[in-house]
Short mmCIF file of all heavy atoms in Angstrom, two decimals:
data_model
loop_
_atom_site.label_atom_id
_atom_site.label_comp_id
_atom_site.label_asym_id
_atom_site.label_seq_id
_atom_site.Cartn_x
_atom_site.Cartn_y
_atom_site.Cartn_z
N HIS M 64 1.70 -17.89 0.61
CA HIS M 64 1.05 -18.82 -0.32
C HIS M 64 0.00 -19.64 0.44
O HIS M 64 0.29 -20.72 0.95
CB HIS M 64 2.12 -19.74 -0.93
CG HIS M 64 1.63 -20.56 -2.07
ND1 HIS M 64 2.04 -20.37 -3.37
CD2 HIS M 64 0.74 -21.60 -2.12
CE1 HIS M 64 1.44 -21.26 -4.16
NE2 HIS M 64 0.65 -22.01 -3.42
N HIS M 66 -4.18 -20.91 0.34
CA HIS M 66 -5.48 -21.02 -0.32
C HIS M 66 -6.56 -20.68 0.71
O HIS M 66 -7.23 -21.56 1.24
CB HIS M 66 -5.65 -22.43 -0.90
CG HIS M 66 -4.67 -22.71 -2.00
ND1 HIS M 66 -4.91 -22.37 -3.31
CD2 HIS M 66 -3.42 -23.22 -1.96
CE1 HIS M 66 -3.86 -22.69 -4.05
NE2 HIS M 66 -2.93 -23.21 -3.26
N TYR M 133 -3.90 -20.24 -11.41
CA TYR M 133 -3.09 -21.01 -12.37
C TYR M 133 -3.21 -20.46 -13.80
O TYR M 133 -2.31 -20.58 -14.61
CB TYR M 133 -3.58 -22.46 -12.42
CG TYR M 133 -3.01 -23.41 -11.39
CD1 TYR M 133 -2.52 -22.98 -10.17
CD2 TYR M 133 -2.98 -24.79 -11.65
CE1 TYR M 133 -2.02 -23.87 -9.24
CE2 TYR M 133 -2.48 -25.69 -10.73
CZ TYR M 133 -2.01 -25.24 -9.52
OH TYR M 133 -1.52 -26.14 -8.61
N GLU M 159 -1.15 -17.91 -8.05
CA GLU M 159 0.04 -18.62 -8.41
C GLU M 159 -0.10 -19.06 -9.86
O GLU M 159 -0.74 -20.05 -10.17
CB GLU M 159 0.25 -19.82 -7.50
CG GLU M 159 -0.94 -20.79 -7.50
CD GLU M 159 -0.68 -22.08 -6.69
OE1 GLU M 159 0.43 -22.62 -6.70
OE2 GLU M 159 -1.63 -22.53 -6.04
N HIS M 198 3.60 -20.89 -9.65
CA HIS M 198 3.48 -22.31 -9.27
C HIS M 198 4.32 -23.12 -10.24
O HIS M 198 4.10 -23.05 -11.45
CB HIS M 198 2.01 -22.72 -9.33
CG HIS M 198 1.80 -24.20 -9.41
ND1 HIS M 198 1.39 -24.96 -8.34
CD2 HIS M 198 1.94 -25.07 -10.46
CE1 HIS M 198 1.30 -26.23 -8.72
NE2 HIS M 198 1.63 -26.32 -10.00
N LEU M 199 5.26 -23.90 -9.71
CA LEU M 199 6.05 -24.79 -10.54
C LEU M 199 5.52 -26.20 -10.42
O LEU M 199 5.31 -26.70 -9.31
CB LEU M 199 7.52 -24.77 -10.10
CG LEU M 199 8.45 -23.79 -10.83
CD1 LEU M 199 8.67 -24.24 -12.27
CD2 LEU M 199 7.92 -22.37 -10.82
N THR M 226 7.55 -20.84 -6.67
CA THR M 226 7.32 -21.64 -5.46
C THR M 226 7.25 -23.13 -5.80
O THR M 226 7.27 -23.50 -6.97
CB THR M 226 6.04 -21.19 -4.72
OG1 THR M 226 5.99 -21.88 -3.46
CG2 THR M 226 4.78 -21.51 -5.52
N HIS M 227 7.16 -23.94 -4.77
CA HIS M 227 7.20 -25.41 -4.83
C HIS M 227 8.53 -25.89 -5.44
O HIS M 227 8.58 -26.97 -6.02
CB HIS M 227 6.04 -26.00 -5.67
CG HIS M 227 4.69 -25.44 -5.39
ND1 HIS M 227 4.25 -25.10 -4.13
CD2 HIS M 227 3.63 -25.18 -6.24
CE1 HIS M 227 3.00 -24.65 -4.21
NE2 HIS M 227 2.61 -24.67 -5.47
N ARG M 230 9.79 -29.47 -4.94
CA ARG M 230 8.91 -30.59 -5.22
C ARG M 230 9.62 -31.73 -5.94
O ARG M 230 9.17 -32.87 -5.89
CB ARG M 230 7.68 -30.15 -6.02
CG ARG M 230 7.97 -29.75 -7.44
CD ARG M 230 6.72 -29.30 -8.16
NE ARG M 230 5.69 -30.32 -8.11
CZ ARG M 230 4.38 -30.07 -8.06
NH1 ARG M 230 3.95 -28.82 -8.08
NH2 ARG M 230 3.51 -31.04 -8.03
N ASP M 286 1.33 -23.38 1.68
CA ASP M 286 0.32 -23.88 0.72
C ASP M 286 -0.96 -24.28 1.46
O ASP M 286 -1.74 -25.10 0.98
CB ASP M 286 0.89 -25.07 -0.08
CG ASP M 286 0.24 -25.23 -1.44
OD1 ASP M 286 -0.62 -24.39 -1.81
OD2 ASP M 286 0.58 -26.19 -2.14
ZN1 LIG P 1 0.77 -24.37 -6.30
#
Side-chain angles (χ1 to χ4, degrees):
H64 191 111
H66 295 273
Y133 274 25
E159 57 174 322
H198 161 104
L199 266 291
T226 188
H227 313 322
R230 70 182 304 148
D286 206 3

